[in-house]
Amino acid sequence: GFFSYSTGVQLATGRSIFTDSSGNTFILPTGTSTIKKYDKDGTLTATLTIPDSYIGDSIAVDDAGYIYVTATLGLGYKLFKLTSAGTSAASVAILSQRLYMTIKQGYLYIPYGVDLEYYSTTDLSLVSTISGTATEDLKDLDFGSDGYVYAIWTDNTNYGVKQIDTSGMTKITTTTTTNINGSLKLDQFNRIWIATPASVGTKSMLVYKTDGTLLDNLFGAATDNTDFFNTGTVHVTSYDNQIILHDYTAANFKGVK
């Protein structure tokens, strides 16, 4: 479930999590058409519904409060733009299920197999595609303060992180056979955090520099999805009732709570 870092109370089991610039956290509860919104203290402030009974896969929110959701209904797949009240502002059919998404400066960046597509937040039109390498599928991703997109990649045997811009994709971490296919986010210091879920057996929180250097590895943290608010505290969803906090001032982990 998702935990408030201030209260430690379990709030929801989440398929996808996104924290906006005001500290509100949006969660897509697993296998539902529901969007839950919590304030920075962990108080549930809104429960919204994805239109037409679609099941939410990934979520992002812009600074104007619009909510973007990729969703699935049977063999149908859509990208929705919703108002802060949950009313549909636009929608577009997409070719397949999309489990990951990030947002930056008017564009939604969504992996499609080995490629990275980006869509306009205005009308959800497909703007362009950045081509990847055959068999190296992109997974979770986020923007760094340096303007690059960082994404987990895997060919189902090997794993790593790629740095992406409009000119192409570059592998920055050492390729590993250890499954790191979890949730990736960057903090305000441009450090890459990867929460590897208990479902893949690794149970760790990895922290990398953007040159691929591994800074830390917190073993035993069976995390699912992770996100940040600008206080420097990590928000996580967890399979086994754990929460990770990080103290940037002390530059070390507070530990598993």
Side-chain angles (χ1 to χ4, degrees):
F2 170 72
F3 290 77
S4 162
Y5 67 82
S6 60
T7 65
V9 177
Q10 182 171 352
L11 304 176
T13 300
R15 172 65 191 89
S16 181
I17 179 174
F18 188 92
T19 303
D20 69 14
S21 57
S22 298
N24 299 300
T25 298
F26 296 78
I27 298 175
L28 298 177
T30 306
T32 75
S33 299
T34 302
I35 302 169
K36 291 185 178 290
K37 177 183 177 182
Y38 298 89
D39 66 16
K40 62 183 179 181
D41 295 318
T43 301
L44 178 65
T45 58
T47 300
L48 310 175
T49 302
I50 302 169
D52 304 324
S53 300
Y54 274 74
I55 305 300
D57 291 317
S58 63
I59 189 168
V61 182
D62 67 20
D63 290 340
Y66 284 102
I67 303 165
Y68 303 87
V69 178
T70 62
T72 299
L73 181 63
L75 296 178
Y77 312 98
K78 280 189 176 182
L79 171 61
F80 289 96
K81 178 180 181 178
L82 308 176
T83 67
S84 58
T87 304
S88 180
S91 65
V92 62
I94 51 180
L95 294 177
S96 65
Q97 187 178 38
R98 309 298 176 88
L99 299 178
Y100 310 99
M101 173 168 55
T102 193
I103 187 170
K104 187 76 170 182
Q105 297 178 338
Y107 297 100
L108 298 166
Y109 293 79
I110 305 176
Y112 179 36
V114 303
D115 300 329
L116 182 61
E117 297 181 338
Y118 54 104
Y119 294 76
S120 167
T121 58
T122 303
D123 60 4
L124 304 185
S125 60
L126 177 61
V127 177
S128 189
T129 301
I130 301 170
S131 298
T133 303
T135 76
E136 294 178 355
D137 286 348
L138 301 179
K139 301 298 182 180
D140 203 14
L141 72 169
D142 196 18
F143 258 95
S145 58
D146 53 8
Y148 289 101
V149 174
Y150 293 87
I152 297 169
W153 68 269
T154 180
D155 60 9
N156 294 320
T157 299
N158 302 294
Y159 302 83
V161 177
K162 289 187 177 183
Q163 182 188 72
I164 306 171
D165 64 9
T166 54
S167 65
M169 305 186 187
T170 302
K171 295 177 182 177
I172 61 166
T173 60
T174 302
T175 298
T176 177
T177 56
T178 300
N179 190 340
I180 63 167
N181 185 17
S183 177
L184 179 150
K185 295 291 177 184
L186 279 89
D187 64 20
Q188 68 268 43
F189 300 110
N190 216 37
R191 293 181 291 207
I192 303 166
W193 293 65
I194 300 177
T196 59
S199 60
V200 303
T202 307
K203 295 187 179 182
S204 64
M205 179 78 81
L206 305 171
V207 189
Y208 291 96
K209 294 171 65 175
T210 53
D211 65 2
T213 302
L214 180 65
L215 292 174
D216 216 332
N217 186 349
L218 181 62
F219 289 101
T223 54
D224 179 6
N225 292 299
T226 184
D227 207 348
F228 291 88
F229 180 45
N230 57 21
T231 59
T233 301
V234 186
H235 294 185
V236 302
T237 58
S238 174
Y239 280 99
D240 62 353
N241 299 337
Q242 296 181 354
I243 181 169
I244 308 304
L245 301 180
H246 189 274
D247 183 347
Y248 289 121
T249 304
N252 57 24
F253 285 104
K254 289 181 178 177
V256 180
K257 304 294 184 181

